[in-house]
Amino acid sequence: MSGCRARSDYTVVLVTHNMQQAARVSDFTAFMYLGELVEFDRTNKMFTAPQDGRTQDYITGRFG
């Protein structure tokens, strides 16, 4: 595989309000609110056990 780079050699930043899309395509997720980084973690952890109530509310559709 000369000339090919491993997947781990790349970072792609995707900005979305679609939580299903974020969960499907990302290894890590950041939640921002009013320009503030509220939470950043592995996507599976963020969606199953968010550490901040604002993240929980957004993921579950209580606001946003």
Side-chain angles (χ1 to χ4, degrees), residues 17-30:
H17 290 96
N18 184 321
M19 300 312 290
Q20 292 82 14
Q21 181 182 38
R24 186 176 65 249
V25 303
S26 62
D27 297 322
F28 289 90
T29 297

Side-chain angles (χ1 to χ4, degrees), residues 24-47:
R24 186 176 65 249
V25 303
S26 62
D27 297 322
F28 289 90
T29 297
F31 175 67
M32 297 185 74
Y33 182 68
L34 298 175
E36 172 193 355
L37 178 61
V38 174
E39 189 167 352
F40 174 81
D41 213 331
R42 295 201 62 77
T43 298
N44 61 346
K45 184 176 178 194
M46 174 94 60
F47 279 85

Side-chain angles (χ1 to χ4, degrees), residues 7-15 25-29 40:
R7 177 179 176 202
S8 62
D9 290 342
Y10 295 93
T11 299
V12 175
V13 176
L14 172 69
V15 178
V25 303
S26 62
D27 297 322
F28 289 90
T29 297
F40 174 81

